[in-house]
């Protein structure tokens, strides 16, 4: 009889702590506000009017010291949807891919019987980056070429969905992107906030937030639970940072956070909390698990990271810890601030501060990500077009593994390069090489170990055909990181472009052998194999590439031609079938070769009379007609004769099937 006693004891102990009351399962609305500083929204602000947020805040539990896990859109949302810091979920930057093995909040709620829907407003959160798992509906349709949509558009779509929603409990995530740069609020906010358009975007977003929350409450009444969180703030020039992602000061780390509705005790919380606890709070509402829910006032040491400058440029990795009113940032050396007395973080207290054990161990133990793993965590099937879409949003994650060194610069000391780095990266991805060159030269002059800049500089010169400038840039890259596979890859691609292409072979072979999924190296090697006349290799390399990224129709057609030339009928058929319309002659010929006469007939019948390929199509069609014993085979042969050109005339004359 020991077990019941033990169970009773366990229950008594558990009951000893005051638990929030059990609830009927509410419908849950999660609203994430992109690029929204804590001091840019709410009843205390003088810069901006946010009446809707303020009204929701009145009967909400509001966290005045809420911190994001990382100041970038995709990893920050990933922390809210996994409950983990980036060190736990492995996604540190935009443009990367969440491992499919990482459980997501929507999956848990879906499994628990919730309907699940998400409406996001920027390509940075598109389905392909891995957050859509578990959602019945994941609306990431973006208008082109903007790749983002306004809070108004997103709200319109969400309200249309809510109007049709069934009474089943719903988990709804809505993401607003408006305050992200560039700041272009709609009227009347454009005029009202003409001198501070960032705040105009916040005010415009607030209007839509009001519509959304009102509609959700109308639909679910008292059984509605709401959480609103910022995904990061915006530098607006504080500490030399215009936007976000490179530093860890309050302007970008400190965000609005509130919970309201079902079972929430209204009030204001001054203890620091992490927005990753959005995950635990939603799970709590759904009756799954109350651990770490924001409905409870657990004191915690809040951690965070900003690894983009480390992963992209090799600068110092950055981690942060906050407990009470003390905030410490480790970036090489440690900075310490009293965020209550000095929210602008202008007095570094590191020399005199006596840090708590919690802060010290958090900073000491926070893991620095492996550049290998981070560089490998690219979404599958990213096309060149999508890379440009990411670039248009200002997200250009480097694919180069940085040089890691103890005396790397601190990001806070490199603020003069932030804008130049961003602009150079965008110009590079948009293939504006001549414009990128002076920026990359300047970056390298001021940041001598920036491997990414050296490789991009070499590539700019290479793409412009300026080999005499390209080689010194690649030599510089080699001197920075002699063993780097990235350097071998870029140099190999440089040679593959020019007359010295045989020198590319050993370089690219080594890269592909050591890192088999590097698309760029595989592409370079495929071209070189074609030049070497090794078409079998060229075909199988292209097949590997297209398994890793989505090919363009013209690329599939090229693969089809190569496969045809080496007589690989199956590969050729597969490629042309996927390449879309315009390849009916090729398909007809290939189906015929594969004895698939019915399909050959259908394909050849689709070749239009105006096509230059029409005589050949008629000749092949006549062959098929004979092989299928069609009653009109004689007139088919006659038609082929009448429309013959120089090539088919001879073929018809020699064709035994026609005798
Ligand atoms: Zn964001």
């Amino acid at each position: 009889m020991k077990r019941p006693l033990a169970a009773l004891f366990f229950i008594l102990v558990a009951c000893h702590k005051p638990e929030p009351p059990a609830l009927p399962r509410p419908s849950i609305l999660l609203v994430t506000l992109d690029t929204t500083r804590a001091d840019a929204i709410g009843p205390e602000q003088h810069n901006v009017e946010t009446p809707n947020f303020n009204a929701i805040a009145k009967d909400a539990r509001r966290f005045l010291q809420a911190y994001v896990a990382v100041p970038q859109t995709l990893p920050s949302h990933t922390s809210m949807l996994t409950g983990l810091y980036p060190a736990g979920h492995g996604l540190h930057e935009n443009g990367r891919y969440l491992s499919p093995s990482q459980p997501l909040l929507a999956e848990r709620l879906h499994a628990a019987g919730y309907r699940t829907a998400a409406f996001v407003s920027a390509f940075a959160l598109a389905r392909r980056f891995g957050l859509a798992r578990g959602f019945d509906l994941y609306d990431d349709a973006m208008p082109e070429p903007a790749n983002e949509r306004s809070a108004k558009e997103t709200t319109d779509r969400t309200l249309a969905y809510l109007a049709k929603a069934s009474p089943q409990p719903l988990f709804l995530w809505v993401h607003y992107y408006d305050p992200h740069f560039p700041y272009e609020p709609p009227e009347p906010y454009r005029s009202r906030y003409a001198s501070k358009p960032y705040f105009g975007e916040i005010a415009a977003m607030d209007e839509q937030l009001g519509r959304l929350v009102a509609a959700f409450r109308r639909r679910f009444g008292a059984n509605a639970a709401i959480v609103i969180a910022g995904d990061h703030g915006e530098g607006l020039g504080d500490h030399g940072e215009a936007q976000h992602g490179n530093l860890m000061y309050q302007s970008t780390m400190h965000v609005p956070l509130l919970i309201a509705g079902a079972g929430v005790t209204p009030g204001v919380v001054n203890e620091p909390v992490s927005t990753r606890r959005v995950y635990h709070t939603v799970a709590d509402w759904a009756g799954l698990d109350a651990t770490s829910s924001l409905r409870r006032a657990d004191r915690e040491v809040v951690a965070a990271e900003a690894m983009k400058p480390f992963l992209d440029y090799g600068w110092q990795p950055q981690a942060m810890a906050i407990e009470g009113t003390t905030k410490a940032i480790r970036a090489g050396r440690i900075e310490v601030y009293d965020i209550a007395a000095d929210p602008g973080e202008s007095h570094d207290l590191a020399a005199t501060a006596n840090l708590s054990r919690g802060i010290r161990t958090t900073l000491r133990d926070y893991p620095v990500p492996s550049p290998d793993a981070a560089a490998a965590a690219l979404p599958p099937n990213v096309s060149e077009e999508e890379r440009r879409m990411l670039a248009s949003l200002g997200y250009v994650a480097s694919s180069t593994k940085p040089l890691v060194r103890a005396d790397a610069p601190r990001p806070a000391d490199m603020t003069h390069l932030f804008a130049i780095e961003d602009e150079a990266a965008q110009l590079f991805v948009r293939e504006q090489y001549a414009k990128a060159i002076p920026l990359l030269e300047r970056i390298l002059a001021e940041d001598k170990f920036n491997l990414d800049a050296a490789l991009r500089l070499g590539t700019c010169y290479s793409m412009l055909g300026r080999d005499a400038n390209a080689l010194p840039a690649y030599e510089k890259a080699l001197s920075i990181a002699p063993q780097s596979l990235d350097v071998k890859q870029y140099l190999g691609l440089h040679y593959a472009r020019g007359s010295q292409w045989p020198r590319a072979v050993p370089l690219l072979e080594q890269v592909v052998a050591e890192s088999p999924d590097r698309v760029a190296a595989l592409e370079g090697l495929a071209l070189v194999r074609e030049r070497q006349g090794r078409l079998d290799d060229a075909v199988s390399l292209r097949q590997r590439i297209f398994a890793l990224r989505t090919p363009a129709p013209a690329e599939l057609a090229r693969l089809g031609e190569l496969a045809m030339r080496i007589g690989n009928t199956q590969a050729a058929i597969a490629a042309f079938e996927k390449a879309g319309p315009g390849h009916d002659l090729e398909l007809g010929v290939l189906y015929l070769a594969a004895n698939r006469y019915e399909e050959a007939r259908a394909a050849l019948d689709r070749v239009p009379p105006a096509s230059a390929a029409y005589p050949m199509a008629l000749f092949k069609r006549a062959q098929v007609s004979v092989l299928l014993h069609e009653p009109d085979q004689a007139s088919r042969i006659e038609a082929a004769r009448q429309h013959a050109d120089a090539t088919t005339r001879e073929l018809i004359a020699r064709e035994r099937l026609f005798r």
Side-chain angles (χ1 to χ4, degrees):
M1 295 301 285
K2 276 182 179 174
R3 284 182 72 173
L5 265 180
L8 183 65
F9 179 70
F10 176 76
I11 290 165
L12 283 174
V13 169
C15 288
H16 191 67
K17 257 187 168 179
E19 285 287 329
L23 296 166
R25 296 201 306 175
S27 283
I28 303 161
L29 170 64
L30 163 63
V31 188
T32 54
L33 310 176
D34 215 290
T35 322
T36 303
R37 292 167 61 122
D39 64 4
I41 194 166
E44 302 86 3
Q45 310 315 333
H46 306 292
N47 268 323
V48 60
E49 288 177 6
T50 54
N52 293 291
F53 181 90
N54 302 356
I56 300 161
K58 267 201 190 114
D59 47 22
R61 187 171 177 81
R62 200 148 61 95
F63 299 86
L64 297 186
Q65 294 297 328
Y67 292 89
V68 298
V70 53
Q72 260 202 328
T73 306
L74 177 65
S76 175
H77 279 91
T78 304
S79 286
M80 290 191 254
L81 298 175
T82 60
L84 300 170
Y85 288 116
H89 59 63
L91 206 155
H92 305 274
E93 280 187 279
N94 282 333
R96 305 293 181 183
Y97 177 62
L98 180 66
S99 162
S101 63
Q102 200 63 254
L104 284 165
L105 184 55
E107 291 178 307
R108 285 190 73 188
L109 267 72
H110 194 269
Y114 271 76
R115 275 176 310 123
T116 48
F119 294 80
V120 300
S121 298
F123 178 69
L125 294 176
R127 162 184 301 276
R128 65 166 50 259
F129 301 112
L131 295 185
R133 268 185 287 122
F135 284 105
D136 296 317
L137 169 69
Y138 195 87
D139 180 351
D140 61 352
M142 297 300 145
E144 302 218 9
N147 302 325
E148 61 174 284
R149 61 187 182 194
S150 68
K152 166 120 185 17
E153 290 168 87
T154 296
T155 305
D156 287 348
R157 294 172 74 101
T158 309
L159 266 48
Y161 170 82
L162 275 177
K164 289 181 287 181
S166 78
Q168 199 183 345
L170 172 68
F171 171 51
L172 174 64
W173 168 33
V174 177
H175 161 249
Y176 291 143
Y177 193 67
D178 305 49
H180 199 279
F181 185 82
Y183 317 128
E184 294 164 338
E187 290 294 2
Y189 304 100
R190 181 181 297 258
S191 304
R192 206 177 291 167
Y193 291 90
S195 65
K196 42 182 180 179
Y198 168 75
F199 293 93
E201 295 269 35
I202 302 270
M205 178 173 72
D206 180 73
E207 180 186 338
Q208 301 305 322
L209 177 67
R211 283 180 70 210
L212 173 66
V213 169
F216 193 80
R217 283 183 164 156
R218 261 198 313 277
R219 184 72 189 76
F220 298 105
N223 205 21
I226 297 169
V227 49
I228 302 175
D231 76 333
H232 53 77
E234 185 79 325
L236 300 179
D238 292 357
H239 300 270
E241 185 174 37
Q243 296 180 34
H244 55 269
N246 287 312
L247 297 177
M248 304 202 78
Y249 296 108
Q250 295 294 83
S251 47
T252 63
M253 303 304 294
H254 184 204
V255 292
L257 174 66
L258 65 75
I259 59 176
V264 171
T265 315
V268 160
V269 178
N270 280 300
E271 277 295 314
V273 295
S274 170
T275 55
R276 80 187 169 91
R277 286 171 66 184
V278 163
Y279 173 92
H280 307 91
T281 309
V282 172
D284 175 21
W285 271 324
L288 298 174
D289 180 7
T291 316
S292 293
S293 167
L294 288 167
R295 292 205 297 138
R296 303 154 58 125
D298 294 340
R299 189 171 180 150
E300 61 173 329
V301 178
V302 171
E305 64 162 66
M307 297 296 178
K308 173 181 180 276
F310 167 68
L311 293 170
D312 288 6
Y313 320 133
W315 299 348
Q316 292 290 348
Q318 300 175 110
M320 176 191 99
I322 300 181
E323 188 177 27
T325 61
T326 303
K327 169 174 169 180
I329 302 170
R330 189 190 72 199
R333 65 179 170 80
I334 290 176
E335 294 163 69
V336 180
Y337 299 100
D338 178 337
I339 45 179
D342 177 27
E345 294 155 294
S346 50
H347 305 293
D348 182 357
L349 306 171
T352 56
N354 190 8
L355 291 177
S356 74
R357 186 186 152 84
I359 287 186
R360 277 184 288 123
T361 51
T362 301
L363 288 187
R364 189 195 61 209
D365 296 344
Y366 195 92
V368 173
S370 142
D372 281 315
L378 282 173
N381 288 318
V382 173
S383 67
E384 281 305 303
E385 178 54 28
E386 283 162 337
R387 276 175 60 83
R388 278 188 281 275
M389 281 163 80
L390 274 176
S392 77
L393 290 174
Y395 302 139
V396 191
S398 165
S399 58
T400 303
K401 183 183 147 194
L403 179 72
V404 177
R405 59 202 179 92
D407 60 345
R410 305 171 67 245
D413 295 332
M414 305 298 276
T415 55
H416 58 293
L417 287 185
F418 290 175
I420 300 171
E421 291 272 15
D422 288 346
E423 197 187 343
Q426 294 210 27
L427 289 168
F428 181 85
V429 173
R430 292 184 184 141
E431 300 175 8
Q432 298 186 26
Y433 300 118
K435 284 186 184 164
I437 284 172
L439 302 180
L440 291 165
E441 295 272 21
R442 168 139 184 236
I443 293 166
L444 262 187
E446 301 195 21
D447 185 19
K448 296 189 183 344
F449 295 91
N450 191 321
L451 184 60
D452 190 53
L455 290 175
R456 286 184 166 176
L457 181 62
T459 304
C460 286
Y461 284 126
S462 171
M463 296 301 281
L464 294 169
R466 292 168 61 179
D467 289 11
N469 298 99
L471 279 175
Y474 289 123
E475 275 156 22
K476 163 91 182 160
L478 265 176
S479 75
I480 295 172
Q483 301 305 321
S484 163
L485 272 192
D486 293 308
V487 178
K488 289 178 179 133
Q489 170 179 318
Y490 276 74
L491 188 56
L493 292 174
H494 166 67
Y495 284 131
R497 280 181 207 111
S499 56
Q500 299 192 65
W501 62 266
R503 302 183 73 164
V505 177
L507 290 164
L508 295 176
E509 279 175 346
Q510 189 191 344
V511 173
V512 168
E514 286 184 36
S515 185
D517 289 344
R518 285 186 179 231
V519 171
L522 289 168
E523 286 171 340
L525 194 57
L527 281 179
V528 169
R529 291 292 187 241
E530 220 174 303
R531 283 178 155 174
Q532 290 177 307
R534 291 171 59 173
L535 298 190
D536 280 309
D537 287 346
V539 165
S540 62
L541 281 165
R542 274 165 203 265
Q543 287 171 325
R544 272 170 71 183
I545 293 162
F546 299 161
L548 293 167
R549 69 160 172 83
T550 308
E555 292 179 310
L556 285 164
R558 179 72 185 138
L559 170 60
E561 284 162 25
L562 286 174
M564 251 176 132
R565 270 166 59 188
I566 59 169
N568 187 338
T569 305
Q570 295 315 319
I573 288 175
F576 281 120
E577 279 179 345
K578 278 188 230 140
H583 306 289
D584 293 315
L585 176 66
E586 290 89 341
L587 278 172
V589 170
L590 288 161
Y591 288 137
L592 181 56
N595 300 328
R596 291 160 64 175
Y597 303 138
E598 308 276 346
E599 287 155 289
R601 173 169 62 188
L604 293 167
D605 282 346
R606 286 193 299 266
V607 177
S611 155
Y614 193 58
M616 183 61 82
L618 287 179
F619 164 58
K620 289 284 164 189
R621 180 66 182 81
Q623 287 181 316
V624 172
S625 191
V626 175
L627 290 165
L628 283 173
H629 308 293
E630 287 181 332
D632 63 344
Q633 47 184 280
S635 62
R636 295 265 171 207
I637 295 168
E638 189 49 35
R641 285 212 174 93
Q642 274 179 16
H643 293 87
D645 60 14
T647 311
T648 59
R649 195 166 297 123
E650 200 172 320
L651 291 170
I652 291 165
R654 282 191 284 147
E655 179 54 62
R656 283 187 203 162
L657 282 175
F658 295 168
R659 283 177 200 153

